[in-house]
Amino acid sequence: MDMANTQQNSAPGERIPTNPIVVVEEIGQLGRNFFREVGSMFWFIAHTFEETIERIRRGRFPFRATSFFRHTERAGVDSVPLVGLVSFFLGLTMALLTGYQLQRFGTERLIPGLVAIAFTRELGPLLTGIMLAARVGAAFTAELWTMQVS
């Protein structure tokens, strides 16, 4: 093992370069990848606006309103029961588990506030995003595969 280019306290199998040239090259590569991603997002948004304006100039709608609202309803409104059900059961589980811990200190009265704040601030948006992405992604994928088979 070459001690000149790695630190001794690194995790097994992981090498941390100490050579300044290697460190600068890695930082440069990270910067290049970051700007490439930001640039591709910018061009995606620019091309979307360009296409929208071009369709409006030709007298066409940039999207089909019926299709837009149908997909919006499927992705948003139809997901509310699932998100509510999963959040309810996760809240019950969290209240039960925190109740066991807070019972030691005699502070069971703090459980409702703790669960409410934890879900409202932290877990609610995270779990909602994950569930929506999974449900809507799976539904659209199944629809596309059904179209391909047909």
Side-chain angles (χ1 to χ4, degrees):
M1 184 176 202
D2 186 14
M3 290 296 175
N5 289 329
T6 60
Q7 289 180 350
Q8 193 171 2
N9 293 336
S10 64
E14 182 183 342
R15 303 182 123 205
I16 300 175
T18 56
N19 186 351
I21 294 173
V22 173
V23 172
V24 170
E25 285 176 352
E26 289 180 4
I27 291 172
Q29 189 66 29
L30 287 172
R32 173 189 270 172
N33 291 339
F34 172 76
F35 285 120
R36 183 178 293 139
E37 288 295 321
V38 170
S40 67
M41 284 189 282
F42 171 77
W43 285 115
F44 173 74
I45 292 169
H47 288 304
T48 301
F49 281 126
E50 180 182 335
E51 183 70 24
T52 302
I53 290 170
E54 183 63 31
R55 284 180 177 242
I56 290 173
R57 266 194 218 138
R58 290 183 184 174
R60 296 171 52 195
F61 288 113
F63 57 87
R64 294 183 184 136
T66 57
S67 177
F68 174 76
F69 288 115
R70 183 174 40 109
H71 288 299
T72 302
E73 181 182 10
R74 275 183 52 198
V77 177
D78 291 348
S79 298
V80 170
L82 175 70
V83 171
L85 185 69
V86 171
S87 295
F88 175 74
F89 284 115
L90 283 173
L92 285 177
T93 304
M94 188 171 175
L96 181 69
L97 295 175
T98 55
Y100 288 142
Q101 299 302 320
L102 293 178
Q103 190 177 23
R104 294 180 186 173
F105 306 108
T107 55
E108 295 91 1
R109 61 184 175 79
L110 299 177
I111 294 171
L114 176 73
V115 172
I117 290 172
F119 264 90
T120 304
R121 290 187 184 166
E122 304 295 331
L123 289 175
L126 176 70
L127 291 172
T128 301
I130 291 170
M131 284 186 285
L132 283 177
R135 181 186 179 279
V136 173
F140 287 165
T141 302
E143 184 177 345
L144 289 172
W145 276 102
T146 304
M147 287 182 212
Q148 187 177 8
V149 169
S150 299

